[in-house]
Amino acid sequence: MTMEKRTQHELDEETLFVVSQTFKALSDPTRIRILNMLCCEEHSVNDIAEKLDLNQSAVSHQLRFLKNLRLVKFRREGTTLYYTSADEHVINLLHQAIDHAHH
């Protein structure tokens, strides 16, 4: 299907909301950095905070936002939560945007 044909379709309210929330998630530099980290392997909150030089509270806040949008998922090991990306489509969008920025 060509891009022209795709844009001719009307979008329902739910689709508009999901798309806008996805772009909202990708509009924040901290969330971009977190998603970029989580696209290849899982990390704990502390690991993300340390590697991105952020405080744990800020990372937890951003992960909660991403989890609510189902863009990340987690598993528990003891008292530690390990996060990873949960939506390959969004990761592909992120990587396309990064590639575009490099051109």
Side-chain angles (χ1 to χ4, degrees), residues 31 34 45 55-66:
R31 289 191 291 263
I34 291 170
V45 174
N55 67 52
Q56 183 179 352
S57 176
V59 171
S60 293
H61 173 76
Q62 297 299 345
L63 287 169
R64 194 168 27 262
F65 181 90
L66 294 169

Side-chain angles (χ1 to χ4, degrees), residues 9-32:
H9 291 278
E10 299 239 357
L11 298 172
D12 60 74
E13 290 300 315
E14 182 180 349
T15 301
L16 284 170
F17 179 76
V18 171
V19 170
S20 69
Q21 290 301 297
T22 300
F23 280 109
K24 181 178 178 181
L26 294 175
S27 71
D28 181 85
T30 300
R31 289 191 291 263
I32 291 170

Side-chain angles (χ1 to χ4, degrees), residues 13 18 29 37 39 56 64 75-76 82 88 92 103:
E13 290 300 315
V18 171
M37 267 188 79
C39 74
Q56 183 179 352
R64 194 168 27 262
R75 71 175 179 85
R76 182 180 300 275
Y82 292 92
E88 188 175 324
N92 288 336
H103 284 100

